[in-house]
Amino acid sequence: MLHLFRQRVFLFCSCVLLVCFFPPASGSGQLGGQSRGGCLSTCWPQDNSDLNPDPSLVFGRLPNGLRYVLKANANPRQRVAMYLNVQAGSLHETDQQRGVAHFLEHMLFNGTTHYPPGTLIKYFQSLGMGFGGDTNAHTGFDETVYNLLLPSNETKVLDEGFKVLADYARGALLLEQEVDRERGVILAEKRSRDSAATRVSKKQMQFDFAGTRVAERDPIGTEAVIRATDSALLRSYYDRWYRPENMIVVVVGDIRPQAVEPLLTQAFAPLQGVDEVGDCPDYGQVRETGIDALVFPERELGYTGVALTTVFNSRQVADTLVWETAQLHRYVAVTLLANRLRQLEQQPSSPLAQTRAHAGIFLQRYGYATLTGRAVAGKWEEGMHLLQTTLAQALRDGFTEHELIRGKREVRALLEKAVRTAATRDSREMAEEIIRKLNDQEVILSPAQEMTLYGPIVDQLTLAEVNQALRQLWGHSRRLVEVVGVVPEELTTTQGKTMVRDAFVAHQRQPVEPWVEKKASPFPYLTLPSDHGAVLEKTSHQAIGVTSCLLEGGVQVNVKPTDFQANQVLLSVQFGQGKQAEPRRGMALLAEAVVDDSGIGRLTGEQLEEAMAGHSLELAFKVGPESFAFGGNALSQDFDLLLQLLYHRLHDPVVRTEAFHRGRDRLRRMYGQLNRTVEGVQQIQGERFLAGSLPEYGMASWEEVAGIELEQMRSWLLSAFASAPLEINVVGDIEPSAAIALVARYFGHEQRRLAEAAAVPAPVFPAGRELRLPVPSSIDKASLTVAWQTSDYWEIDRTRRLNLLAAVLDDRLRIKIREELGATYSPQVTSRPSRGQKGFGLLQSELIVAPEQAEPLARVIRDTAAGLGSKGVSEDELHRALGPILTSIRDIKRNNRYWVESVLNLSSRHPQQLQWPLSISEGFSAIKAEELTELAKRYLQPEQAATIIVSPEGGR
């Protein structure tokens, strides 16, 4: 199915291992049969299809059965994305192996034929690759995928990349001492990923897919198996499933496929499978009849979730034009249903927020459709009834022609954007899409092919076809009704499930009122300026390719044309003082939740979305440390419309009462989650401990947010929208004179004045102090933060050195705490210099650990940081940290977002930013190890550190 139309409920990729055979003579397209060799994939999706794959792809197969896909793609330049797709995951484990697939994924970084334990990550760093960003892996239900983003397309580097992947494939050492060492890391990962949301999601999966293997095979595994796993158990899974016949290598990047094939063949052709081929696991079947209810209390979720779902067993079918057409019909039907829910949640007194509609085929075996939402406190039943009624209306009466026209426009916009942006699509994105499609047995089409295929289907789509698709999807009699999270007391009793089921059945018997379609005002509706404003000053910053203009009304315009993203433009508008002028703490957070939802004067947020249907553009409001901002993007052809939308946002702004209350309710639910997690309490209370009242760090308390009044919000925002000077930044595939002319047309006559900047109280850093914060949580983990005060953003050489110092400390903590002690999964160290407060910044380390380990690990962090100053930063450490940064710099300089966010934004206030791109590579390259040592001596002394430990109530 078209990748643009994927709708997934679950955060994993699915695949089915099929045998290659010819379609049945009946032409039904149904797949079947099994090879004598067992459960291995041996064919391409196009082998059983009437669709032809993307002609730019090179498909190949080695004599040992390993398959590969190669594609030339020049973005990012001179880099190559290399993936090893093993078509086996947690569903292929035996009862004694639950968690072994994921454990094995970890072990392949801990010793292989050519990379002894402790050497692989250092090798990656020596090439200029960052661990986690440029090399990583993931384990799903039926796939394990390893990925590399090589820093160069030189033959030597490609050869080394294939050597690494081939070692993953058949070169695992699985040394017993390394298994014992990694066990702690995996348990730490399990702890760090444990959350109320995860627990709820797993419970819902077990409920929805009861009776199937999916319900019993969480990829993280069981703690008992993790603790008992040894080399022999890992080897038993590795030899059975890690075999060439069960693997696909995908390479996308700045390559010549004909030059890459011999390198790939040399690395992978000698590999052979060991042990017997595994049998296909029995996936089981879902129940297809009856009504069942799930009540799952989890107060730490912070909100009441309601869901209405149907599931059914689905045949495995070939990806043909008939199948694709049916899936497109289904996609449009679900989209129209989602649009209805979005309208309903914006109505005053709606019992639901954040509604969603999803449908799809999971593992090519299980069909599902689901409606979800977050219920207003105490209104779970009303929320459930709203989902029921909306579905019943659509099933009985169908959709309207007006709704279908909108849905067609939305699909057309997706297709057109894919075609127009195809030339500069990211190699990693493409490689991952290839793997998803192969594992779903879908034919890989180019955007041009998709437009050719789907365009006529969309144009000819009728209401009857869409309505039929919805009725087929929801025509299955199975109904699953779910109430999770903050569950009312009466539902927590033994009768709770019965009460939910009875409420659902009773409402089914009620008559259904017809759907009432509301008409919206047209867009645009404001009288637009009739002539262009004059350009008073024009400056060319030739060294960085930026043109700056001052319009007669005082608007500053900066334009940088690029070819980094074909036919795309980024827009950023900076104005006002942002958080620095926040009248009450928390107002910025609430404003972000309210402004976009409010829409504009004559159109609600949802109505504005409808008006924009058919165009690929976005415009969102943010509040930054120093300014308000509208950030947007569009296809180049829609830049005029994007400016029209901005014009309406600024000249007819509105803060609607309903949006204000919805936004506050949404934040109430969010705080309900945050205040019951160690991560959330650190964010709310811990950050304030480190930075005091400095607005660019941390969050307000819920009590502060709840006390904000609507009129206070309106007064603060609307005055800035009306009068604050504008800085408009444009970066992308657009000619500068055309961009300036359009901006001058809409904003050339603005009359705005600069307000006096508010004074921000200086923070007092708690050097040498420790704060312990209890959390009402049942999850056995603690958040540990150790931080030091540094300095502000504006001395750029110091800022760069602090960034590199943070990278060196991050690497030392990874080796010490993750690799040696096995006490955490992913230690993170960041430098956070202040833009708004002179002389203030933070260098901060954060870990998720076992509560009893927090205090001793805090000492380890302080001692490790102090060692950077007392023992010095080595040349090896410097280069291993610097290499990935230099590689990243090479990439970001060809990224539109870097130029907008790091160079142009607020350059009218900080013109030195325009010089930074000229020295960024050389500036980092010139940093010396002894300079980092001196910075560590200055800032990272143990007595200067502040420590925060957030742990469950009753813990140490």
Side-chain angles (χ1 to χ4, degrees), residues 912-933:
Q912 64 267 43
Q913 292 177 185
L914 299 176
Q915 301 302 313
W916 292 347
L918 301 176
S919 64
I920 183 171
S921 297
E922 295 78 5
F924 271 100
S925 296
I927 297 174
K928 300 182 184 305
E930 54 266 29
E931 293 173 329
L932 299 186
T933 299

Side-chain angles (χ1 to χ4, degrees), residues 491-519:
L491 296 187
T492 63
T493 67
T494 55
Q495 296 300 310
K497 294 180 182 178
T498 302
M499 293 172 64
V500 170
R501 186 184 184 282
D502 289 349
F504 174 82
V505 172
H507 190 72
Q508 271 192 320
R509 300 191 183 111
Q510 300 298 315
V512 177
E513 296 292 329
W515 168 257
V516 178
E517 189 168 49
K518 294 187 176 181
K519 300 297 182 182

